RNA sequence: GGCCCUAUGGUCAAGCGGUCAAGACGCCGCCCUCUCAAGGCGGAAUCGGGAGUUCGAUUCUCCCUAGGGUCACCA
């Protein structure tokens, strides 16, 4: 197919946005963008029973959130609309009629009871599927029965012999015996098309050049091609994608953890990190680059870099991407993310200096956005009953007794500081260590424990004291001193 | 079960007949250091098995095995 590349993302609004869908959307978007083509959004709502309220909104929001802008779609229109399948029913019906007329399809009056019975009988047999009961009905008679109001579906008349072959851009040439192909339903009795049929009609109507989808469609692709052939339409380039699996090797689903984009965002992951991780889950640039912004992806993406084997979704690696993206944010922007939790812990509004400091403390340590409150927990209050054993640290050469002496000296010095700035506190504490001829740790460690009650804090004693403020720092030292004395 | 696909460390993966088999996550160790991180350095860890083809197979072919997908009036 010549001309511009056109891809489409065609989700059905039947639930939340699964990361597998999002990855497909990303690849579809990139395949279009990398060659200056168009990316189309189409809504496949042909299964009226499975529609989920709000699912459509989730699709729009996710795409927007990720920056995957579409060029045509239900919300913005375009030259090939409508872009919602339930609004295209006439098209499918007309196309199906064309197929009946040309002998490539037929009306079938078998009801679900008969089909079910058929399935029961076929149990254990090699080829399971419709027995083509209505395939040879007289077309005129069938048309008459339909006209009389008898419910029917329209089925594709598959060739009984021969093979169908197609070339997939990632899997190569795939050949299937036509005898394996079922006379699949094209138009359901409710007048809605099946996915298989609507897809072919729409992809042709919308001039889609690259059909990108999960590899679960690989084995049904020959049926599509037979349809394209029956219509005389040009067959698009197929790009089938390897599946995403959970840690147990099964197709990724809910029970593996958060698998929806929104869920992940709520769990503290950045859209950039999610997208970046998804990009590399099934695609490789061929070199060692790993960090990609959307703009960089648009430059680097290649279909040939797509992998054929299924990939396991690894939350650890996703977490690493998240950390990496978090660290690369503008410090000011990152700090803004901390404001809410900081002020909450502080119990008052934060100054710019405090905000900057908090951001500086957290940015290199944060894994998820949702961890911010926990990282700031020490700021809230000094745990009344923290373990005094924390003062004992063999590497720092400190224990409760030495810490008590140290804290008494430091308290006086800190109280006397001219101003309470990070630099001044820092200078003073280092000077104190030097003056006493001890290692920095011997002054820093007791102080950290005394004012936070924790052995692990996001930052050192200096940062803690600075953020705490002089009054609160001294108060906590006194509290700790009292306990050490007791 | 039939058919289709896949197969490099625990995970993502590069490799496309000749390499000491990249890199990243995770893991371990060291350095740095007031803790934890971050950062730096180093380490352990991989070609599923068997036949071929070839001077030479991770790479090509076949078989086996394992895993996955698919066989709906779901997409």
């Amino acid at each position: 197919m010549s001309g511009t590349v056109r891809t489409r993302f065609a989700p059905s609004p039947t639930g939340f946005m699964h990361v597998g869908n999002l990855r497909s959307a990303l690849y579809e978007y990139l395949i279009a963008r990398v060659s200056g083509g168009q990316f189309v959004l189409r809504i496949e709502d042909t299964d009226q029973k499975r529609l989920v309220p709000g699912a459509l909104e989730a699709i729009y929001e996710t795409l927007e959130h990720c920056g995957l802008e579409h060029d045509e779609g239900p919300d913005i229109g375009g030259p090939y609309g409508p872009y919602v399948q339930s609004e295209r029913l006439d098209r499918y019906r007309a196309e199906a009629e064309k197929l009946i007329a040309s002998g490539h399809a037929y009306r079938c009056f078998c009801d679900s009871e008969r089909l079910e019975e058929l399935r029961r009988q076929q149990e254990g047999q090699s080829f399971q599927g419709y027995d083509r009961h209505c395939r040879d009905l007289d077309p005129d008679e069938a048309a008459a029965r339909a006209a009389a109001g008898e419910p029917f579906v329209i089925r594709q008349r598959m060739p009984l012999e021969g093979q169908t072959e197609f070339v997939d851009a990632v899997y190569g040439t795939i050949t299937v015996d036509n005898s394996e192909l079922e006379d699949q339903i094209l138009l359901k009795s409710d007048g809605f098309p099946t996915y298989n049929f609507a897809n072919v009609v729409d992809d042709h109507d919308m001039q889609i050049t690259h059909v990108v989808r999960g590899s679960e469609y690989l084995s049904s692709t020959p049926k599509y091609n037979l349809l394209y052939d029956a219509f005389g339409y040009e067959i698009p380039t197929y790009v089938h994608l390897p599946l995403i699996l959970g840690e147990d090797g099964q197709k990724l689903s809910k029970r593996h953890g958060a698998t929806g984009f929104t869920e992940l965002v709520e769990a503290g992951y950045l859209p950039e990190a999610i997208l970046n991780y998804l990009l590399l889950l099934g695609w490789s640039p061929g070199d060692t680059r790993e960090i990609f912004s959307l703009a960089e992806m648009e430059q680097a993406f290649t279909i040939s870099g797509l992998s054929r084997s299924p990939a396991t979704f690894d939350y650890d690696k996703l977490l690493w991407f998240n950390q990496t993206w978090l660290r690369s944010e503008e410090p000011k922007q990152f700090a803004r993310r901390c404001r809410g939790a900081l002020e909450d812990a502080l119990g008052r509004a934060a100054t710019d200096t405090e905000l900057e400091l908090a951001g500086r403390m957290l940015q290199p340590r944060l894994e998820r956005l949702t961890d911010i409150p926990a990282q700031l927990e020490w700021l809230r209050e000094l745990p009344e009953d923290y373990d005094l054993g924390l003062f004992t640290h063999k590497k720092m050469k400190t224990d409760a007794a030495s810490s008590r002496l140290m804290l008494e000296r430091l308290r006086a010095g800190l109280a006397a500081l001219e101003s309470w700035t990070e630099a001044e506190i820092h200078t003073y504490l280092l000077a104190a260590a030097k003056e006493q001829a001890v290692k920095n740790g011997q002054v820093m460690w007791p102080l950290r424990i005394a004012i936070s009650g924790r052995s692990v804090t996001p930052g050192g004693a200096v940062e803690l004291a600075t953020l705490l403020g002089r009054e609160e720092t001294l108060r906590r030292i006194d509290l700790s001193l009292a306990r050490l004395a007791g």
Side-chain angles (χ1 to χ4, degrees):
Chain A
M1 214 170 260
S2 58
T4 45
V5 168
R6 287 172 60 84
T7 61
R8 44 64 169 172
F9 176 49
S12 54
T14 55
F16 65 120
M17 183 79 136
H18 188 272
V19 290
N21 284 114
L22 180 55
R23 191 191 61 170
S24 296
L26 174 63
Y27 290 163
E28 285 152 4
Y29 171 86
L30 293 175
I31 288 172
R33 285 288 174 272
V34 79
S35 58
Q38 287 105 42
F39 174 56
V40 178
L41 174 64
R42 181 174 73 222
I43 301 300
E44 311 219 327
D45 58 346
T46 58
D47 188 349
Q48 296 292 299
K49 292 187 284 288
R50 294 206 313 163
L51 296 184
V52 172
L56 188 59
E57 286 67 30
I59 291 166
Y60 287 129
E61 279 166 22
T62 301
L63 292 180
E64 195 185 329
H65 210 146
C66 290
L68 303 181
E69 262 176 70
H70 49 282
D71 302 295
E72 297 166 27
D75 52 340
I76 53 177
Y80 305 100
Y83 293 89
V84 177
Q85 291 188 328
S86 58
E87 294 170 17
R88 303 172 57 80
L89 265 25
D90 292 345
R91 268 299 288 156
Y92 309 124
R93 202 184 319 265
E95 291 292 280
E97 290 294 343
K98 261 164 61 178
L99 252 22
I100 290 179
S102 66
H104 292 287
Y106 60 91
R107 290 190 176 80
C108 167
F109 300 91
C110 296
D111 57 23
S112 47
E113 286 81 62
R114 193 182 104 74
L115 261 22
E116 212 163 291
E117 175 59 28
L118 193 61
R119 225 163 286 146
R120 255 198 299 282
Q121 287 172 10
Q122 285 181 151
E123 232 160 81
Q125 280 176 236
S126 63
F127 179 65
Q128 306 190 342
Y130 180 57
D131 64 355
R132 300 179 164 130
H133 183 258
C134 298
R135 180 188 245 236
D136 297 316
L137 288 179
D138 176 64
D140 294 332
E141 186 195 325
R145 283 168 71 179
E150 192 174 340
F152 66 95
V153 300
I154 295 179
R155 289 185 183 269
Q156 184 177 3
R157 187 191 304 273
M158 292 295 178
L160 270 15
E161 311 178 320
Q163 300 183 315
T164 299
E165 188 179 274
F166 73 97
V167 180
D168 182 85
V170 353
Y171 287 92
T173 302
I174 292 173
T175 309
V176 170
D177 285 338
N178 290 335
S179 59
E180 290 293 326
L181 276 20
E182 184 183 27
D183 281 3
Q184 64 174 346
I185 292 175
L186 267 22
L187 214 59
K188 299 185 264 190
S189 55
D190 64 359
F192 279 76
T194 57
Y195 166 85
N196 303 293
F197 186 56
N199 239 263
V200 170
V201 173
D202 289 345
D203 284 341
H204 172 263
D205 283 359
M206 297 175 187
Q207 299 190 19
I208 301 303
T209 60
H210 291 64
V211 171
V212 184
R213 57 172 37 152
S215 66
E216 65 264 33
Y217 294 106
L218 215 41
S219 48
S220 54
T221 299
K223 299 179 192 174
Y224 293 71
N225 284 4
L226 258 9
L227 242 22
Y228 279 106
D229 286 344
F231 281 126
Y233 296 156
E234 191 169 358
I235 292 173
T237 298
Y238 288 106
V239 182
H240 284 94
L241 271 16
L243 261 19
I244 298 178
L245 310 178
E247 259 135 349
D248 56 358
Q250 303 295 307
K251 194 169 168 176
L252 188 69
S253 69
K254 272 276 210 278
R255 66 200 164 79
H256 298 291
T259 54
F261 175 77
T262 309
E263 269 181 290
L264 253 16
V265 170
E266 282 167 359
Y269 294 92
L270 296 173
E272 292 88 338
I274 298 171
L275 231 44
N276 197 159
Y277 176 60
L278 254 18
L279 172 75
L280 268 359
L281 197 59
W283 179 79
S284 163
D287 53 39
T288 60
R289 282 178 297 168
E290 289 212 284
I291 303 302
F292 288 87
S293 64
L294 188 57
E296 288 165 336
M297 296 180 196
E298 291 175 25
Q299 295 301 311
F301 194 80
T302 53
I303 290 178
S304 62
L306 285 169
S307 164
R308 276 175 300 272
S309 46
T312 305
F313 194 89
D314 182 3
Y315 287 91
D316 281 338
K317 184 99 189 209
L318 172 61
L319 198 57
W320 177 78
F321 274 108
N322 205 47
Q323 278 181 200
T324 305
W325 274 95
L326 243 16
R327 287 205 314 275
S328 73
E329 276 192 324
E330 275 299 307
K332 275 218 165 65
Q333 190 195 335
F334 178 82
R336 273 196 290 275
R337 297 183 184 277
C338 300
R339 173 159 243 133
L342 176 63
E343 299 189 336
D344 187 48
L346 239 30
R348 59 172 171 79
T351 65
D352 285 350
T353 310
E354 287 169 332
L355 190 59
E356 186 276 332
L357 175 58
R360 186 148 43 81
M361 289 168 77
L362 298 198
Q363 193 163 17
R365 291 170 241 265
L366 208 63
E367 295 187 314
R368 301 178 184 84
L369 253 15
T370 45
D371 293 337
I372 295 177
Q375 288 279 330
L376 255 17
E377 193 57 32
W378 60 272
L379 189 53
R380 243 169 231 290
E381 58 185 321
L382 183 68
E384 276 174 35
D385 55 351
Y386 71 86
D387 182 10
L388 292 178
L390 292 179
F391 283 108
T392 303
H393 192 295
K394 64 178 193 310
K395 195 177 162 202
M396 299 299 150
K397 295 181 179 152
T398 60
D399 58 28
S402 70
S403 293
R404 185 182 166 192
L405 292 176
M406 179 63 73
L407 287 169
E408 276 165 354
R409 301 184 64 149
L410 296 180
R411 193 212 183 280
L414 289 170
L417 282 185
E418 228 163 274
S419 67
W420 196 257
T421 64
E422 193 179 351
E424 192 159 345
I425 296 168
H426 187 247
T427 304
Y428 164 69
L429 291 175
L430 288 189
K434 194 166 186 183
E435 183 190 313
Q436 298 176 60
V438 296
K439 299 186 70 170
N440 292 345
Q442 287 178 62
V443 353
M444 301 296 191
W445 184 263
L447 184 56
R448 183 218 325 290
I449 302 299
I451 63 180
S452 73
R454 296 156 198 266
S455 61
V456 175
T457 56
V462 177
E463 286 102 323
L464 297 182
T466 307
L467 205 48
L468 240 21
R470 175 164 5 214
E471 193 184 337
E472 178 65 7
T473 299
L474 296 180
R475 192 183 71 83
R476 291 188 181 192
I477 290 176
D478 290 339
L479 247 30
S480 292
L481 241 19
R483 288 193 62 204
L484 284 167

